[in-house]
Amino acid sequence: SDVYKSQQLYRGTRQEPSIAELIAAAVDREQAYLEAFQRGLSEDQPRLGEPTPGPSFLDRDFAEDLARFFDLRRQTLDLVRNFSEEAFARRVTLPDGEQLTLHDLALRLQRHDAQLLRQISARKRALKAASGINELLDMGVAGKLGENIAQ
């Protein structure tokens, strides 16, 4: 069961990133957006330093990344909850030069979250379909069937 869970987290394809990669990217993105929100309140021409995906997740621990994501998200939410209408109207520049209000930047982060959840669900479905014994593992009975199958 631990091997199966590890496969779910770290097995990706050339077309589809692993769940560990998705979470690592979410951590990097959350850090960048938190910094953009902070700079958006204090700087005249703040920029979003959108992170570029890469193989950095290989050197990272999934559990630590997940905990870091939730810590960063808590900080982001604490900050954004206290924004006034005036603060939400301030602008930040994206890497491509486009300018967004902090309100629109928050919506952009929300869309990233929705995409992340869809990708994780798709990866889990693909791995379950490919495993052959996924339903048995999920029910916790796969190891108990060995002796009964021979009967």
Side-chain angles (χ1 to χ4, degrees):
S1 179
D2 287 340
V3 171
Y4 177 70
K5 288 177 185 174
S6 177
Q7 288 175 349
Q8 282 188 325
L9 294 177
Y10 295 102
R11 187 190 300 167
T13 66
R14 287 181 190 220
Q15 297 81 20
E16 297 291 328
S18 69
I19 293 172
E21 286 176 89
L22 293 171
I23 296 299
V27 169
D28 294 345
R29 184 174 45 252
E30 190 70 26
Q31 180 69 52
Y33 275 69
L34 175 59
E35 290 171 5
F37 286 126
Q38 291 167 334
R39 287 193 308 267
L41 293 177
S42 62
E43 295 178 12
D44 289 335
Q45 296 180 333
R47 295 190 69 82
L48 169 66
E50 186 108 38
T52 55
S56 64
F57 82 97
L58 294 172
D59 297 330
R60 295 162 66 157
D61 178 79
F62 176 77
E64 289 175 13
D65 266 348
L66 196 55
R68 177 105 173 103
F69 174 79
F70 286 117
D71 287 344
L72 288 167
R73 178 52 58 95
R74 190 174 306 109
Q75 291 174 39
T76 301
L77 290 174
D78 288 346
L79 181 65
V80 171
R81 279 187 190 121
N82 293 313
F83 278 8
S84 63
E85 276 189 51
E86 181 182 306
F88 270 121
R90 294 188 62 126
R91 296 194 164 276
V92 65
T93 304
L94 302 180
D96 65 2
E98 179 185 357
Q99 287 196 342
L100 293 179
T101 63
L102 291 182
H103 177 266
D104 289 339
L105 190 67
L107 293 176
R108 182 182 169 107
L109 183 58
Q110 181 183 16
R111 285 189 297 275
H112 278 298
D113 288 347
Q115 180 182 16
L116 171 71
L117 293 173
R118 282 191 303 274
Q119 287 177 303
I120 288 173
S121 293
R123 288 301 308 141
K124 287 193 63 106
R125 277 193 306 275
L127 287 167
K128 281 185 173 187
S131 73
I133 59 168
N134 56 11
E135 292 165 3
L136 298 174
L137 283 170
D138 287 345
M139 294 185 304
V141 297
K144 299 174 187 153
L145 288 178
E147 60 228 33
N148 294 333
I149 289 178
Q151 295 176 349

